[in-house]
Amino acid sequence: MATFFEGYSHTFSEYLLVPGYSSSQNIPVNVSLKTPLVKFRRGEQSAITLNIPMTSAIMQSVSGPRLAIALAQEGGLSFIYGSQPPEDEAAMVREVKTYKAGFVISDSTLTPDMSLQDVVELKERTGHSTMPVTEDGTAHGKFCGIVTSRDYRLSRDDRGRKVHEFMTPVSECICGDEHTSLSVANDIIWDHKLNTLPIVDSEGNLMSLVFRKDYDSHKGNPDELLDEHKRYLVGAGINTRDYATRVPLLVDAGADVLCIDSSEGYSEWQKLTIDWIRAHYGDDVKVGAGNVVDAEGFRYLADCGADFVKVGIGGGSICITREQKGIGRGQASALIDVCAERDRYFEETGVYVPVCSDGGIVYDYHMTLAFAMGADFLMLGRYFARFDESPTRRLNVNGSYVKEYWGEGSARARNWQRYDLGGTKKGLSFVEGVDSYVPYAGPLKENVDASLLKVRSTMCNCGALNLPELREKAKLTLVSATSLVEGGTHDVILRESQSDNFRS
């Protein structure tokens, strides 16, 4: 006979939190959402700590460089999608790591003989309005001057005008030298009211640039997730097939953490992947694994050496694995089971392996439920796909703005490595995801702020000021179908269609 799990397979919507005692200190501003990303031993701290418990899904329609930067500015982390050539994924990782390195190597360099039209085209291509000028147009050539948007007027200036005619020449530039620290560079920028400080070596060659906007960005985003070199943290997805090629490229590009992207993680393929990484990099390269939906799957991956374990099969809004294969489990039931095993594993071994809840988040309050059930952090796809920073197009469909959103198991993604079970045949035999639209929601920052304010407020209702305290104090109750009706708007006629708790 097959093994039968007792009870039903439950989703987040079938649970509610019961309020607990809250003191006068339980106000949202006092709540910390810091959480470990990778495993650590008892008495130690995690090598990577998230400032907010949110990561973006390893998906083509979600996690590109622009979203990775925006999420890191808020304190979370993105996993650049792996369903692309390894070199392209590494380039995306490198783009994030070099975006805010303090000393930025120019990727938009001009020569004195280029035209204003060249400046306009380069600006359109890179998005950069500040461009250094060197004799040979290379990032480290002889520094000649700098061009900003204040140096020309497109409405009046001839597009054929040469750069040397309107640039700010080196003789009028304030520059730093090879001995200038980042702290000193920022002081120079502040004292001289500059937007950009070129760093030039003793022979007059351009070394790098320091931007005022990076300083202002840090001050305006105190929860930024930065490494020791003040660069944004970023993760990257890998598969169980080409890791010997992909992992070295991602590590060289600066990826801070990797994650095996698979629809089902209780597999020897994951062990082989982790074993290869440990053999070549030891514990220096952090790698998460998954996905699993029960205690047995968690323990297997923890024993394999995974730095975190993802939970969830078939709960994503674009995932049809349960329909196609009859595989999966309600996200709430899976999460409760796995987190209990995580705690047992910690008691037995002294090693805490964080759990990532991946899928099943429909409303903002589901986030708080997931944390109360034990999740250390969330991985979100549909939630982030709605924002300006996601890599997909914004369209107008039937009078409403939407963004494209497709699953990695869809024919559009063609991510066969994620679903491959071995053998010689390569390609998707059948789809496990759909191609769809999601309602456009605007910029990431204001949406994340709104969602996490709800999380913090609910935690205060439970008397908790941090995530471990929430797990300890939370009281959960199952709700009936009638209770679900009672919990929503009922027995009234709404004046207009409105909701302050959008689907996430």
Side-chain angles (χ1 to χ4, degrees), residues 130-167:
T130 298
M131 305 176 193
V133 184
T134 62
E135 284 186 355
D136 59 3
T138 65
H140 299 296
K142 187 82 169 181
F143 182 61
C144 301
I146 198 163
V147 170
T148 73
S149 57
R150 297 193 302 270
D151 293 319
Y152 55 85
R153 285 192 292 181
L154 294 179
S155 61
R156 296 189 180 183
D157 289 349
D158 180 0
R159 296 294 181 99
R161 193 180 179 199
K162 299 300 183 182
V163 165
H164 66 81
E165 298 178 38
F166 58 86
M167 71 180 185

Side-chain angles (χ1 to χ4, degrees), residues 238-423:
I238 62 174
N239 60 66
T240 59
R241 287 297 174 187
D242 66 3
Y243 50 82
T245 300
R246 190 176 296 269
V247 170
L249 291 173
L250 295 174
V251 171
D252 182 65
D256 298 283
V257 58
L258 307 176
C259 184
I260 303 172
D261 184 30
S262 174
S263 62
E264 202 283 297
Y266 191 3
S267 158
E268 186 181 8
W269 298 112
Q270 301 236 342
K271 181 181 187 302
L272 294 173
T273 304
I274 296 172
D275 286 347
W276 187 92
I277 292 173
R278 296 293 177 241
H280 288 79
Y281 297 98
D283 292 328
D284 292 339
V285 171
K286 308 301 181 184
V287 55
N291 288 14
V292 299
V293 291
D294 65 1
E296 191 176 342
F298 169 86
R299 185 166 286 265
Y300 174 78
L301 292 178
D303 286 341
C304 287
D307 285 293
F308 64 84
V309 173
K310 282 204 299 165
V311 177
I313 296 177
S317 60
I318 41 69
C319 182
I320 55 173
T321 296
R322 297 180 193 175
E323 292 179 22
Q324 293 282 54
K325 298 169 63 175
I327 293 288
R329 194 178 186 188
Q331 188 67 8
S333 295
L335 188 58
I336 292 168
D337 193 3
V338 169
C339 289
E341 187 66 14
R342 174 204 58 199
D343 295 341
R344 285 191 290 269
Y345 190 85
F346 180 54
E347 289 300 316
E348 294 172 17
T349 67
V351 177
Y352 187 91
V353 181
V355 167
C356 169
S357 180
D358 178 17
I361 301 294
V362 180
Y363 299 103
D364 286 343
Y365 81 91
H366 288 173
M367 297 181 187
T368 320
L369 286 170
F371 298 137
M373 292 172 184
D376 293 283
F377 60 96
L378 309 177
M379 181 170 280
L380 302 161
R382 181 187 186 277
Y383 180 85
F384 288 117
R386 304 169 304 137
F387 301 150
D388 288 321
E389 295 82 358
S390 73
T392 63
R393 296 180 299 171
R394 188 182 72 168
L395 306 172
N396 189 308
V397 176
N398 297 326
S400 298
Y401 282 110
V402 298
K403 293 208 75 176
E404 297 174 300
Y405 181 47
W406 61 90
E408 289 298 291
S410 67
R412 182 172 184 175
R414 304 189 66 81
N415 186 5
W416 66 265
Q417 295 99 330
R418 190 176 198 269
Y419 298 87
D420 183 37
L421 294 176

